Amino acid sequence: MELSAFQIHKVMKIYTKQLSQSKMAQRQKALGMNEKPTPDTIEISQEGRNRAVMDKVAKDIVDRITRHGPRDNVDRYIMDKLEQETGKKFAFKQEKASEFVFNVIDDDTKTTTSLSVEDTSFLLNRMEQLAKEAVEKDIRQQNPGENSNKP
């Protein structure tokens, strides 16, 4: 299933709205009944909720790329950045859980390479960072007024 950046942003916006409405209902209930919120409740800031959603979206993007290859502009942006940083072209294909198989394309020569799952952690972590940056960039482009106080 392909998800566009717009769809991801819309889900995040709806999720944030639902969280804030739920929080307001809890406050009204607590004030109306003169009850205090229980001390074992953890309150997460809006920034924290947004960061958690971003992390989840980034992991989903990396998983999609490693399973099926880049499918949309966000995926292609991530792959382009990764290829620029490493100087190599990648074509991902995950065969089994114990190893990660990918193709390296140099000067019209395609080489299939595999790494143990442990050795791929750097590559996957960097892809996840690039995915987070791409999602944040896309959100800033779609809502330039909402993030005017961020660099």
Side-chain angles (χ1 to χ4, degrees):
M1 180 172 108
E2 259 185 62
L3 295 175
S4 70
F6 173 76
Q7 290 169 319
I8 293 169
H9 174 70
K10 193 166 187 164
V11 168
M12 289 173 45
K13 198 170 190 175
I14 291 170
Y15 178 73
T16 303
K17 185 177 179 181
Q18 288 175 343
L19 284 175
S20 65
Q21 288 175 346
S22 173
K23 192 174 181 180
M24 284 179 17
Q26 288 176 345
R27 284 183 188 161
Q28 289 175 350
K29 182 179 176 184
L31 290 175
M33 297 180 185
N34 292 330
E35 293 179 13
K36 295 181 182 175
T38 59
D40 60 343
T41 326
I42 298 174
E43 299 227 3
I44 301 174
S45 68
Q46 182 68 31
E47 179 83 19
R49 285 191 298 267
N50 289 346
R51 183 63 45 206
V53 170
M54 290 281 195
D55 290 347
K56 172 80 171 104
V57 169
K59 285 181 187 203
D60 290 346
I61 290 171
V62 170
D63 184 55
R64 182 178 68 224
I65 292 172
T66 57
R67 288 179 190 253
H68 309 290
R71 302 234 179 214
D72 60 21
N73 292 340
V74 172
D75 297 357
R76 192 71 246 154
Y77 168 80
I78 294 165
M79 291 305 301
D80 289 344
K81 292 280 279 183
L82 188 63
E83 290 169 356
Q84 281 178 340
E85 290 178 6
T86 61
K88 298 179 181 180
K89 291 193 178 272
F90 296 98
F92 291 99
K93 182 175 140 188
Q94 192 170 0
E95 298 215 345
K96 29 182 164 161
S98 64
E99 71 178 6
F100 187 72
V101 179
F102 61 95
N103 296 317
V104 178
I105 304 167
D106 286 323
D107 300 323
D108 299 326
T109 305
K110 179 179 172 182
T111 307
T112 301
T113 309
S114 65
L115 298 170
S116 68
V117 173
E118 296 81 27
D119 293 338
T120 62
S121 62
F122 168 75
L123 187 62
L124 294 175
N125 286 339
R126 183 61 186 139
M127 284 180 67
E128 191 173 319
Q129 288 173 342
L130 292 170
K132 288 176 189 177
E133 290 173 15
V135 170
E136 289 173 357
K137 177 183 171 190
D138 190 56
I139 289 173
R140 282 193 300 266
Q141 287 175 348
Q142 290 181 11
N143 297 313
E146 290 182 20
N147 296 317
S148 59
N149 59 348
K150 294 188 179 183

